[in-house]
C-alpha cells in the first residue's frame, strides 16, 4: 500500500512540475518545454505503473512482468489474459522479487503493452487508443534525443503534443479509476490543465498565438519607417467565428483562418478595378465582361 501512495504522489508532483515548466515555455522560455516533457514523461511512466499495480502490486517489477510475457507466449494469449491465467492458478508474484533489495521495474513500453490489452466490455473497443500510444512513442523519442531538441521540434509541435498527452492521461486515469487528475492538480496550475485538457480551447489558443507570432514576424522584418505600409488585417472568420483570419501568401483570397483554415470572408478588402480604393469584397459588384470588382461608389456615383 505504501508503494502505491508514493507512486501516486510522485506522479502528481511530476505533473505539476511539468505544468510549471510548460508555463515558462509559453512565456517565451523555449528551453523550459524540454523540462516540461521530461517531467510529463516521468508522470506518464508512473501512472502506467499505477495501472499495473491495480492488477498486482508486484507487476511493476520486471521479473514479474517477464513471467507474464513468458506465460503469454506459452499459452498464445495476450499479456492481460496471461496475467489472469497466472492469477487464477494462484501464482505468487511476490516470491519472484523476494530477496532482491532493489528490483528493477518495467519501462513505459512494457507497462503500456499490458494496458493496451484492456477492452471495454460494453463497446468492445480498446481503452488505450493508437493516438495515445503514438504520442507516448513521440515523447520517448524526444526524451532520447533531448540534446537535439531545439533543432528538431518547433515550439508548436511540443505544445500540441503535451496537450494531447495530458488529455490522454486524463482519460487513462479516469478509465482505470487511478485518480481524478482534475482534483489532484494544484490550484495554481489548474488553468494550464484546463486549456491543455480541452482540445478546442487548446487549438484555439494555438490559432491565436499564430496570429500574434505571424504579426510579430512581419513587423520584425520591416524597417520602422516602412511599417506603416504593411497591410496587416485580422478578420473575424465567417466559418468558425474567431478573430483569426490573417494574411496568408498561399491563400487564394490572400487570407486564411489559423483556426479552421477557411479562406473566404466577405470582409476581406479588395481594390476597386475602377478607382483603386479598397473595399470589403462582399460589398463589391462585378460588371459583366468588364470589371470583377467595382466599389459601391463607382457602381452608383449618384448615391454618394
Ligand atoms: Zn475559422
Ligand atoms: Zn471604386
Amino acid at each position: 500500500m505504501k508503494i502505491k501512495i508514493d507512486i501516486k504522489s510522485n506522479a502528481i508532483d511530476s505533473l505539476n512540475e511539468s505544468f510549471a515548466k510548460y508555463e515558462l515555455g509559453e512565456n517565451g522560455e523555449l528551453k523550459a518545454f524540454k523540462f516540461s516533457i521530461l517531467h510529463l514523461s516521468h508522470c506518464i511512466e508512473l501512472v502506467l505503473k499505477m495501472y499495473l499495480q491495480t492488477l498486482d502490486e508486484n507487476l511493476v517489477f520486471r521479473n514479474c512482468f517477464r513471467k507474464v510475457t513468458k506465460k503469454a507466449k506459452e499459452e498464445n494469449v495476450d499479456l492481460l489474459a496471461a496475467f489472469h491465467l497466472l492469477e487464477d492458478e494462484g501464482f505468487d508474484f511476490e516470491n519472484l522479487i523476494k530477496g532482491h533489495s532493489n528490483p528493477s521495474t518495467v519501462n513505459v513500453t512494457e507497462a503500456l503493452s499490458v494496458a493496451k490489452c484492456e477492452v471495454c466490455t460494453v463497446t468492445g473497443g480498446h481503452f488505450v487508443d493508437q493516438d495515445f500510444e503514438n504520442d507516448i512513442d513521440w515523447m520517448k523519442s524526444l526524451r532520447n534525443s533531448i540534446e537535439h531538441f531545439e533543432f528538431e521540434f518547433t515550439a508548436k509541435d511540443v505544445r500540441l503534443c503535451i496537450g494531447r498527452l495530458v488529455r490522454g492521461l486524463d482519460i487513462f486515469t479516469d478509465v482505470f479509476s487511478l485518480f481524478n487528475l482534475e482534483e489532484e492538480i494544484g490550484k495554481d496550475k489548474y488553468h494550464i490543465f484546463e486549456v491543455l485538457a480541452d482540445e478546442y480551447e487548446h487549438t484555439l489558443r494555438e490559432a491565436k498565438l499564430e496570429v500574434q507570432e505571424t504579426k510579430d514576424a512581419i513587423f520584425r522584418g520591416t524597417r520602422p519607417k516602412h511599417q506603416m505600409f504593411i497591410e496587416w488585417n485580422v478578420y473575424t472568420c465567417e466559418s468558425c467565428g474567431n478573430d483569426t483570419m490573417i494574411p496568408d501568401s498561399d491563400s487564394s483570397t490572400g487570407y486564411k483562418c489559423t483556426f479552421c483554415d477557411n479562406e473566404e470572408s466577405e470582409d476581406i478588402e479588395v481594390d476597386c478595378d475602377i478607382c483603386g480604393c479598397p473595399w470589403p469584397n462582399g460589398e463589391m459588384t462585378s460588371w459583366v465582361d468588364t470589371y470583377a470588382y467595382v466599389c459601391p461608389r463607382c457602381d452608383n456615383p449618384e448615391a454618394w
Side-chain angles (χ1 to χ4, degrees):
M1 200 56 207
K2 187 179 174 291
I3 295 175
K4 269 184 202 166
I5 293 165
D6 286 344
I7 287 192
K8 181 179 161 183
S9 60
N10 268 342
I12 307 288
D13 282 351
S14 292
L15 188 66
N16 279 317
E17 206 48 45
S18 170
F19 285 169
K21 298 294 181 205
Y22 182 89
E23 202 170 26
L24 288 177
E26 266 208 324
N27 291 334
E29 234 184 90
L30 290 186
K31 274 190 182 158
F33 281 132
K34 175 163 102 179
F35 296 102
S36 179
I37 292 202
L38 288 174
H39 289 298
L40 185 61
S41 78
H42 189 225
C43 171
I44 287 174
E45 185 181 328
L46 293 171
V47 165
L48 287 168
K49 284 177 178 171
M50 278 180 74
Y51 156 74
L52 287 181
Q53 288 193 323
T54 64
L55 300 172
D56 187 295
E57 223 172 311
N58 298 301
L59 212 53
V60 290
F61 299 112
R62 186 162 276 147
N63 278 353
C64 302
F65 177 79
R66 285 220 180 105
K67 176 74 192 171
V68 173
T69 315
K70 200 166 155 244
K71 183 80 172 170
K73 271 201 189 114
E74 282 166 14
E75 305 286 340
N76 198 23
V77 290
D78 70 30
L79 293 172
L80 190 62
F83 164 75
H84 286 307
L85 282 176
L86 287 165
E87 194 185 28
D88 292 344
E89 291 167 12
F91 184 82
D92 184 8
F93 285 102
E94 200 171 347
N95 217 13
L96 289 177
I97 49 154
K98 250 186 198 156
H100 295 257
S101 56
N102 196 11
S104 70
T105 58
V106 295
N107 60 32
V108 172
T109 310
E110 289 163 338
L112 193 64
S113 66
V114 182
K116 268 168 60 185
C117 305
E118 296 273 2
V119 172
C120 174
T121 49
V122 180
T123 64
H126 287 264
F127 281 129
V128 176
D129 67 6
Q130 190 60 45
D131 289 343
F132 189 49
E133 205 187 331
N134 292 346
D135 287 333
I136 288 180
D137 280 341
W138 182 87
M139 180 190 79
K140 273 175 7 202
S141 69
L142 186 55
R143 197 177 49 181
N144 293 340
S145 63
I146 212 92
E147 289 82 32
H148 309 291
F149 179 79
E150 281 90 337
F151 310 106
E152 290 181 19
F153 304 98
T154 69
K156 187 176 178 177
D157 288 341
V158 174
R159 286 197 300 261
L160 286 175
C161 189
I162 291 177
R164 286 197 305 272
L165 281 166
V166 168
R167 282 190 299 275
L169 196 62
D170 188 25
I171 296 166
F172 190 90
T173 50
D174 182 49
V175 161
F176 296 112
S177 309
L178 300 176
F179 54 84
N180 185 326
L181 207 61
E182 212 175 302
E183 282 171 11
E184 300 289 347
I185 291 164
K187 264 206 184 84
D188 56 326
K189 298 285 168 287
Y190 188 75
H191 62 286
I192 302 169
F193 167 76
E194 240 182 341
V195 174
L196 286 173
D198 187 318
E199 188 155 21
Y200 177 85
E201 280 297 320
H202 191 223
T203 316
L204 181 57
R205 189 150 163 176
E206 282 301 327
K208 286 182 175 166
L209 259 175
E210 194 179 333
V211 170
Q212 193 55 46
E213 284 168 0
T214 310
K215 184 180 178 184
D216 290 348
I218 289 175
F219 279 83
R220 219 184 298 121
T222 310
R223 283 193 215 168
K225 65 175 183 176
H226 292 143
Q227 285 183 354
M228 60 185 286
F229 300 115
I230 295 175
E231 272 196 53
W232 174 263
N233 293 304
V234 180
Y235 294 115
T236 304
C237 173
E238 287 169 359
S239 178
C240 69
N242 296 305
D243 296 327
T244 43
M245 281 199 90
I246 57 168
D248 185 305
S249 52
D250 293 330
S251 161
S252 58
T253 63
Y255 282 82
K256 191 170 181 174
C257 174
T258 58
F259 182 76
C260 72
D261 290 343
N262 167 45
E263 297 184 353
E264 307 290 331
S265 169
E266 297 201 329
D267 292 337
I268 296 172
E269 292 189 342
V270 288
D271 292 340
C272 169
D273 290 334
I274 297 174
C275 70
C277 291
W279 281 86
N281 74 80
E283 294 174 26
M284 291 287 199
T285 318
S286 61
W287 288 2
V288 180
D289 294 333
T290 48
Y291 303 113
Y293 296 109
V294 179
C295 75
R297 247 190 316 209
C298 297
D299 190 45
N300 188 6
E302 281 85 42
W304 294 79

